[in-house]
Amino acid sequence: MTIKNIYITTCMALLFIACSCGKTTQNTTTAESYQKVSPDFNADSAYAYVDKQVSFGYRIPNTAEHVACGDYLVAEMKRFGAEVQEQKMVLTAYNGTKLNARNIIASYGLDKKNRVLLFAHWDTRPYSDQDADPANHKKPLLGANDGASGVGVLMEIGRIMQTKAPEVGVDIIFFDAEDYGIPDFAEKSLIEGNTWCLGSQYWSEKPHVPNYKARFGILLDMVGAEGATFYKEEISRAYAANVVEKVWRTAGQLSYGKFFIGKDGGGVTDDHVPVNQIRKIPSIDIIDYRQEMDHGFFHSWHTQKDDMRNISKETLKAVGQTVLEVVYKEK
Ligand code: AHN
Ligand code: ZN
């Protein structure tokens, strides 16, 4: 081999290494090459759990439909291998009504110290006070998106955890009486403070386990509508900025950036507020926020239209797979 040939061969070898290195670096940073660690989230299954809840009718405290759906949720979570506790309580609504309410707590890996809390509300609103037709304002709503969607996604996560346990322990809580908040047509509240989130306020003061703690919490609220957009909600950023970043980064890695918008959103009074402020578990709210609406929520929010026609399997999949991935990445 001549000096010149050695020089050419070396140059070509270096060029080859440079090319392959460049390629490798690029591959590890693109979304397509991200290797998920969680099992597949089945959106058909989640959809069926949403549909089943809606089929009970209005899940309003003090009704037979509410009791029947609550019993179904307890039975299903037991079937999915969870240790289930029911927290029954009587709560006072804004108008003085005594609500027979029940929080449902489904635990996985109870021997594990490191825990993650996942939650959603399972009750539905007795008023459609955002409906375009004022004649509907005092009518109840089905809550396919507002209520059943978050619970349906968490039920599917429970079903999956039975087949393959994540490294951390997980507690799933279905909170009651979130949506009995003061309606637009009421003049004043007979109770002090937040008229929404009554079940989560109660649990935050009296958790099912004394001094219950989790590393962090994730609330799912209105996570089933077509075209959902999840912004980084303000209270979530204030109390759990690192959790917001973890969840939105994971969604991006899974190519769900269309749903998980990388922009800041306003604050929402929701079940994560007492969990942050009273129980002091850093918690975020994944909630569908719509800039084009005056009230800021999806078009059928608190109207007669919140039924199964709103529900998109694509949205359920994006949220379910993202939350599942966050849980399975946790060590
Ligand atoms: C308020 O309307 C104050 N908060 C919205 C919380 C909510 C109601 N989520 C579902 N329904
Ligand atoms: Zn609501």
Side-chain angles (χ1 to χ4, degrees):
M1 218 181 241
T2 63
I3 299 282
K4 194 182 166 195
N5 274 350
I6 290 171
Y7 176 72
I8 290 168
T9 315
T10 312
C11 280
M12 281 170 70
L14 284 173
L15 200 67
F16 178 74
I17 291 165
C19 285
S20 46
C21 281
K23 222 178 191 174
T24 312
T25 314
Q26 202 182 21
N27 269 349
T28 50
T29 54
T30 55
E32 299 91 69
S33 74
Y34 177 77
Q35 290 293 316
K36 81 172 166 63
V37 298
S38 55
D40 286 341
F41 180 90
N42 187 329
D44 294 325
S45 173
Y47 184 95
Y49 304 142
V50 177
D51 193 34
K52 178 73 182 179
Q53 290 170 76
V54 172
S55 77
F56 284 98
Y58 311 116
R59 285 89 69 207
I60 302 168
N62 301 346
T63 68
E65 294 83 351
H66 178 260
V67 172
C69 184
D71 290 347
Y72 157 77
L73 296 175
V74 169
E76 285 293 81
M77 296 314 283
K78 284 183 181 167
R79 188 166 74 87
F80 299 154
E83 301 279 343
V84 181
Q85 282 194 55
E86 299 176 60
Q87 186 173 48
K88 293 188 176 168
M89 68 228 130
V90 179
L91 303 166
T92 307
Y94 74 95
N95 58 1
T97 303
K98 299 290 178 196
L99 305 175
N100 294 294
R102 145 163 77 156
N103 292 329
I104 297 163
I105 302 114
S107 298
Y108 289 85
L110 273 175
D111 52 320
K112 292 171 178 162
K113 192 178 170 289
N114 292 326
R115 312 197 66 76
V116 170
L117 171 65
L118 307 176
F119 52 114
H121 77 90
W122 72 275
D123 63 306
T124 55
R125 184 154 181 76
Y127 315 115
S128 305
D129 51 338
Q130 298 294 334
D131 201 283
D133 182 355
N136 290 332
H137 286 185
K138 291 186 180 174
K139 292 183 187 166
L141 52 86
L142 282 171
N145 194 30
D146 190 359
S149 67
V151 171
V153 167
L154 295 183
M155 290 174 75
E156 172 60 4
I157 288 177
R159 188 191 67 79
I160 291 168
M161 288 196 295
Q162 184 177 32
T163 65
K164 180 181 188 282
E167 285 200 31
V168 289
V170 175
D171 302 289
I172 293 174
I173 306 187
F174 302 144
F175 285 121
D176 204 349
E178 186 274 345
D179 234 346
Y180 219 108
I182 187 164
D184 283 0
F185 55 77
E187 270 164 26
K188 63 171 175 49
S189 173
L190 298 177
I191 61 167
E192 270 188 45
N194 183 4
T195 64
W196 306 82
C197 312
L198 300 178
S200 58
Q201 291 186 59
Y202 182 95
W203 176 84
S204 296
E205 297 280 6
K206 294 188 190 61
H208 64 293
V209 170
N211 299 314
Y212 173 84
K213 284 283 177 210
R215 254 189 206 169
F216 60 86
I218 300 176
L219 164 61
L220 304 185
D221 193 8
M222 305 194 273
V223 293
E226 196 180 335
T229 46
F230 307 113
Y231 289 81
K232 299 173 176 178
E233 188 269 339
E234 191 173 354
I235 297 162
S236 311
R237 285 185 279 115
Y239 286 92
N242 62 330
V243 185
V244 171
E245 292 316 311
K246 194 197 303 251
V247 170
W248 263 252
R249 194 189 324 119
T250 303
Q253 288 168 330
L254 297 173
S255 304
Y256 296 131
K258 175 176 96 172
F259 298 97
F260 287 80
I261 314 293
K263 290 181 190 158
D264 292 351
V268 180
T269 300
D270 213 340
D271 287 325
H272 67 317
V273 175
V275 176
N276 273 309
Q277 295 182 343
I278 303 172
R279 192 98 297 276
K280 305 210 184 312
I281 296 170
S283 298
I284 68 157
D285 191 4
I286 300 178
I287 183 165
D288 187 358
Y289 176 79
R290 307 286 178 114
Q291 261 163 345
E292 68 275 16
M293 301 299 291
D294 281 345
H295 55 52
F297 299 114
F298 78 113
H299 60 92
S300 301
W301 182 66
H302 292 181
T303 77
Q304 290 285 291
K305 294 198 176 112
D306 186 2
D307 57 29
M308 286 310 288
R309 285 172 300 175
N310 282 313
I311 303 301
S312 150
K313 289 181 185 174
E314 201 196 341
T315 306
L316 296 172
K317 171 76 177 175
V319 174
Q321 195 68 64
T322 298
V323 174
L324 206 57
E325 184 70 5
V326 167
V327 168
Y328 279 78
K329 274 200 288 195
E330 209 60 30
K331 300 290 168 211

